[in-house]
Amino acid sequence: MKPIITAMQSITVGVSDLAGALRLFHDVMGLRIESRVPVSAERAQLWRLPAGTRGEIVELSCQGYPIGRMRLVGLDPAPREAVRLDTQVGGPDSPLDIGPKAIDFYVRSPAEESWQELVAAGCIARSKPVRHVIGGVESEECVLFGPDGVPLLIMVGHRHPPTQMRPGTPHGKYSEVPTISIVAGDLAATRRFYGDALGLSAATDAETAPEFRDRVNDLVGIPHGSRVHFLTYQSGLEPSGKLLLVYFGGQSTRRLTGRMHPSRLGVGLYTHATRDLAALRRRLQDVGASIEAGPAVVDGAATMLVRGPNEELFEFVESPSA
């Protein structure tokens, strides 16, 4: 089925300290500031921000690449509730809980150098880099907790096809966001949403081999022996802005304490463009997806918020060039 949306153009992350977050993502990681704008009245209405809330959006890219950007949102008054706050950093959420998980970045080998740099910058490490194989893809990865406890995954692609890793990556010190991960509770519902409604293509669709299982369990913070299935969706051959659904073999029964929303700290929105918002809406309704807000015109473009089967919150923006 032909994709009806682009790859993920940006991921919106709510932060309590915008200047502090920029010290990490801009000063340390080298992502480029593309724009700084106030939250418009139209956007505040679509996002259903409390009356009187003001805010600023800072968009960052890797050397201007249009896919896989970050949008940091600082609100005043600052939110108190986080979308995912892991037990390792004092929160209520288990690594098995259904909902958004980590934001990924490619780095150069050896991964431990970037791991050490991020720890020195104040990130909290879950583990040192782990090397493993899923299907034909070989990676070296580690997870750290960044601003407001947001999980960040850094990786070296030792054997990644060009459809999953942009040739020459990383083009900066750290890459654009090639992938974001989401803990899935129901693989069948996930396939209907991403495949049937959004028309995205499944790339990796495999379970971790037994010989790598415990390494991956350490990486994601779950008990040894747990089965892990990785299901990656992408738009056409675009290697970045992918969505990785992680399924823990039925162990995930609890949803996050907080839900994805741009009024909260952490991962709030995944933004994609579409040429035909009305057609996308019909396809989403056919699979039972919840239209949370819109369509409404926001900053000159028709925009709609949609809830996915695993607590995902998508922002779909109509664009003739999508």
Side-chain angles (χ1 to χ4, degrees), residues 57-129:
I57 301 173
V58 182
E59 184 167 302
L60 302 106
S61 78
C62 174
Q63 304 298 313
Y65 197 58
I67 298 297
R69 294 185 171 192
M70 290 192 71
R71 288 195 312 189
L72 300 178
V73 177
L75 298 178
D76 182 16
R80 295 185 177 181
E81 185 177 7
V83 174
R84 177 183 285 276
L85 197 59
D86 198 279
T87 51
Q88 187 172 332
V89 288
D93 298 315
S94 158
L96 291 166
D97 289 348
I98 298 165
K101 198 159 178 68
I103 307 170
D104 298 2
F105 298 91
Y106 279 113
V107 297
R108 294 182 177 85
S109 186
E112 188 158 346
E113 289 185 359
S114 298
W115 176 85
Q116 291 174 343
E117 178 179 56
L118 294 182
V119 169
C123 294
I124 299 170
R126 166 167 280 152
S127 67
K128 286 193 172 183

Side-chain angles (χ1 to χ4, degrees), residues 1-7 191-202 233-237 273-276 279-280 283-284 316 319-322:
M1 181 179 292
K2 186 176 180 180
I4 196 169
I5 64 170
T6 64
R191 292 182 193 278
R192 287 193 297 272
F193 181 82
Y194 286 94
D196 297 345
L198 303 184
L200 299 176
S201 304
Y233 281 97
Q234 64 188 95
S235 181
L237 299 178
T274 179
R275 289 185 182 180
D276 191 340
L280 175 61
R283 286 168 64 161
L284 288 163
F316 295 116
S319 171
S321 61

Side-chain angles (χ1 to χ4, degrees), residues 167-254:
T169 293
H171 294 271
K173 194 176 180 185
Y174 290 73
S175 73
E176 70 279 0
V177 179
T179 313
I180 57 92
S181 57
I182 302 158
V183 177
D186 183 335
L187 272 186
T190 296
R191 292 182 193 278
R192 287 193 297 272
F193 181 82
Y194 286 94
D196 297 345
L198 303 184
L200 299 176
S201 304
T204 301
D205 190 351
E207 188 171 307
T208 301
E211 62 267 31
F212 297 107
R213 190 172 290 160
D214 285 347
R215 295 188 204 176
V216 174
N217 294 163
D218 287 338
L219 175 69
V220 299
I222 62 175
H224 280 189
S226 300
R227 297 174 65 176
V228 185
H229 190 107
F230 292 93
L231 175 58
T232 305
Y233 281 97
Q234 64 188 95
S235 181
L237 299 178
E238 169 58 55
S240 290
K242 302 185 300 296
L243 302 122
L244 168 62
L245 285 301
V246 186
Y247 179 67
F248 295 123
Q251 293 191 70
S252 298
T253 57
R254 179 181 178 275

